[in-house]
Amino acid sequence: MKHILSVLVNNSSGVLSHVTSLFTRRGYNIDSLSVAETENKGRSIITMVVNEEKSMIAQIEKQLYKLMDVISIENLSNRDSLERELVLITVKVVREKREEILSLVDLFKAHIVDMSEEAVLMELVGNPRRVRSFIRALSEYGIIRMARTGTVSLPFPSAEDE
């Protein structure tokens, strides 16, 4: 089962290395990883997508809490949360297919960043399923290059957060 772990850590050098090496030592795989500073410059949030059984996630959380710089861990799979990814994708474009590609851009509410006679560079922000669908739809035109972020996620505000 897919789990999204949001790990709040001290923003110091080596923290990401400690977190990822814990996964390596235990033989767990990280499907997606995103790290960024929070509103507090002294803290970072590590968002990981891990495909493991619930019992393994509990074990992972216990191991993470043993790391000195880990402040808190939240499994967002158990909460209503907003998930987003970004994909930048360059696709071959031939004159006869240009309108089809532009229709897909409109359909997915993507944005064209740059266009030449031979290629179009697009960006899309959406939930992981929508990003996968966009990539699949464009693959028949010939993807030249692609860069995709990992999932970032935040829980929806609730009365307990206030």
Side-chain angles (χ1 to χ4, degrees), residues 1 3 8 16 23 29 33 39 49 54-55 61 68 76 89 93 97 99 102 106 110-111 116 124 154:
M1 182 180 169
H3 294 270
L8 184 64
L16 181 60
F23 278 76
N29 187 44
L33 179 68
E39 70 286 352
V49 178
K54 201 171 192 168
S55 60
E61 289 180 16
M68 185 184 326
L76 298 178
I89 190 165
V93 63
K97 300 287 186 177
E99 287 302 316
L102 295 178
D106 285 341
H111 300 281
S116 71
L124 173 74
L154 279 177

Side-chain angles (χ1 to χ4, degrees), residues 22 26 59 61-70:
L22 181 146
R26 303 278 189 258
Q59 187 64 30
E61 289 180 16
K62 286 178 191 173
Q63 295 298 318
L64 284 169
Y65 272 122
K66 290 180 181 179
L67 299 176
M68 185 184 326
D69 286 307
V70 171

Side-chain angles (χ1 to χ4, degrees), residues 13-161:
S13 62
V15 174
L16 181 60
S17 176
H18 292 139
V19 169
T20 57
S21 66
L22 181 146
F23 278 76
T24 303
R25 285 191 314 269
R26 303 278 189 258
Y28 303 132
N29 187 44
I30 300 171
D31 293 337
S32 170
L33 179 68
S34 178
V35 184
E37 199 172 68
T38 67
E39 70 286 352
N40 176 343
K41 289 192 182 292
R43 306 259 169 98
S44 289
I45 197 86
I46 301 173
T47 307
M48 293 182 283
V49 178
V50 181
N51 198 357
E52 294 287 346
E53 296 298 319
K54 201 171 192 168
S55 60
M56 292 306 249
I57 296 300
Q59 187 64 30
I60 289 169
E61 289 180 16
K62 286 178 191 173
Q63 295 298 318
L64 284 169
Y65 272 122
K66 290 180 181 179
L67 299 176
M68 185 184 326
D69 286 307
V70 171
I71 298 163
S72 66
I73 304 166
E74 191 170 11
N75 188 338
L76 298 178
S77 306
N78 301 331
R79 294 192 58 186
D80 286 336
S81 61
L82 178 66
E83 295 177 50
R84 289 294 183 258
E85 284 189 19
L86 163 70
V87 65
L88 302 175
I89 190 165
T90 302
V91 176
K92 290 181 194 175
V93 63
V94 292
R95 186 172 302 280
E96 305 82 49
K97 300 287 186 177
R98 188 178 298 265
E99 287 302 316
E100 289 178 31
I101 292 170
L102 295 178
S103 292
L104 283 172
V105 168
D106 285 341
L107 177 69
F108 281 92
K109 295 182 177 36
H111 300 281
I112 295 176
V113 177
D114 196 17
M115 187 184 297
S116 71
E117 290 295 318
E118 303 85 31
V120 61
L121 172 60
M122 298 159 274
E123 70 178 358
L124 173 74
V125 174
N127 65 47
R129 182 173 179 253
R130 187 163 164 238
V131 170
R132 282 191 306 273
S133 295
F134 186 60
I135 293 167
R136 218 176 3 258
L138 290 173
S139 64
E140 71 180 71
Y141 299 98
I143 295 173
I144 298 169
R145 284 189 128 168
M146 183 177 81
R148 183 176 176 182
T149 66
T151 299
V152 293
S153 186
L154 279 177
F156 287 112
S158 66
E160 11 179 283
D161 293 334

